[in-house]
Amino acid sequence: MKLPHFLHREVFYLIGIILLGYLYFYLGGNFIGDFGDPIGQTIPNKTLLAEFYNKKLNILWNPLNFLGMPFLADLQVGAFYFPDIFFFSIFPPFLAHNISVLFHISLAAISCYYLLYKLCKEKLPAITGASILALTGTFLSKLVFLNFIATLAYTPLLLLFTEHKDKLGIKIFLTTLIMLSAGHPVAAFYTILVTATFVLYRNWGKAKIIFEIAYLMLCSLLS
């Protein structure tokens, strides 16, 4: 079967590598990141959020935590992050958590593959770099923080969009909006900072002129 021109066979290889690489963590019914936060906070919050939505209940308040706590105002709940709402509405809690982690790591890896392929025009370095991103410290060290993983997963996608100028503003706006709803503002700040630095580096010739003009204007104001 012939694949669409934009879908490389290496993407399926990459997904297979990720599933195999994290097999140890979810083999035998376990869940990825079984080290603390998921069982005590992330999975209960997202399961409760999905239940509230399914039953059309008020998401402003969580009456089940201590004597009641704000729910919508808790950024880590990710009250408007639709991928996790979908996963936890359809699948059992632990399975939904595993699917979400693997989905976001795959999203980051696939975006990274296309970004590297765009930059170097070679598939082997692209899939190698994407595999390293997916299977090493960037995500492996954050397995207990689903919100962090979900937010950081959009970094390669934003970088990829900056390399394609077609409807760039809309793509950046929508992706940033989704990323911010994932529930980890610190990771979102890192992503925005990395994206801005990447754009500055890739367009240094134009940026240099802007800096020089700004410097001359500042000097004239101070003189």
Side-chain angles (χ1 to χ4, degrees):
M1 182 177 67
K2 187 176 180 180
L3 296 173
H5 71 280
F6 61 85
L7 189 61
H8 295 148
R9 200 177 303 273
E10 284 75 12
V11 169
F12 296 97
Y13 298 156
L14 195 54
I15 294 174
I17 290 170
I18 292 170
L19 293 176
L20 185 62
Y22 287 92
L23 180 65
Y24 170 80
F25 295 104
Y26 61 83
L27 190 64
N30 295 323
F31 66 92
I32 302 173
D34 186 7
F35 314 121
D37 272 22
I39 195 67
Q41 180 177 342
T42 307
I43 294 176
N45 278 344
K46 292 187 180 295
T47 302
L48 187 62
L49 178 67
E51 186 176 343
F52 279 10
Y53 274 121
N54 288 336
K55 294 183 178 180
K56 297 180 173 60
L57 298 176
N58 182 11
I59 64 170
L60 292 174
W61 189 256
N62 177 7
L64 304 178
N65 198 358
F66 297 107
L67 295 176
M69 292 186 67
F71 201 51
L72 177 64
D74 184 355
L75 292 177
Q76 295 190 66
V77 171
F80 301 113
Y81 187 60
F82 65 86
D84 279 348
I85 294 171
F86 173 77
F87 295 142
F88 281 85
S89 297
I90 301 297
F91 302 103
F94 289 165
L95 178 59
H97 183 268
N98 286 345
I99 291 173
S100 181
V101 171
L102 293 172
F103 165 78
H104 287 102
I105 294 175
S106 298
L107 172 64
I110 293 170
S111 302
C112 182
Y113 166 78
Y114 281 109
L115 174 64
L116 294 177
Y117 183 70
K118 170 73 175 178
L119 295 177
C120 69
K121 307 299 184 184
E122 294 288 341
K123 292 183 178 181
L124 181 59
I127 194 172
T128 302
S131 300
I132 292 172
L133 174 69
L135 301 178
T136 56
T138 303
F139 290 105
L140 195 60
S141 64
K142 300 297 181 182
L143 287 182
V144 297
F145 304 116
L146 175 57
N147 293 335
F148 191 100
I149 291 175
T151 306
L152 207 63
Y154 292 95
T155 306
L157 186 61
L158 282 171
L159 298 181
L160 177 62
F161 284 157
T162 63
E163 291 294 304
H164 298 274
K165 306 305 180 184
D166 183 40
K167 297 180 180 178
L168 178 60
I170 297 176
K171 292 176 183 177
I172 294 292
F173 174 75
L174 292 177
T175 305
T176 303
L177 196 63
I178 295 171
M179 177 189 68
L180 290 173
S181 71
H184 204 295
V186 175
F189 172 76
Y190 292 156
T191 296
I192 294 171
L193 183 62
V194 167
T195 304
T197 304
F198 180 80
V199 171
L200 184 63
Y201 171 77
R202 294 286 291 169
N203 299 275
W204 178 245
K206 298 176 182 178
K208 185 179 179 182
I209 296 174
I210 295 174
F211 282 129
E212 288 175 348
I213 294 173
Y215 175 74
L216 292 173
M217 291 178 64
L218 181 61
C219 289
S220 64
L221 290 172
L222 296 176
S223 61

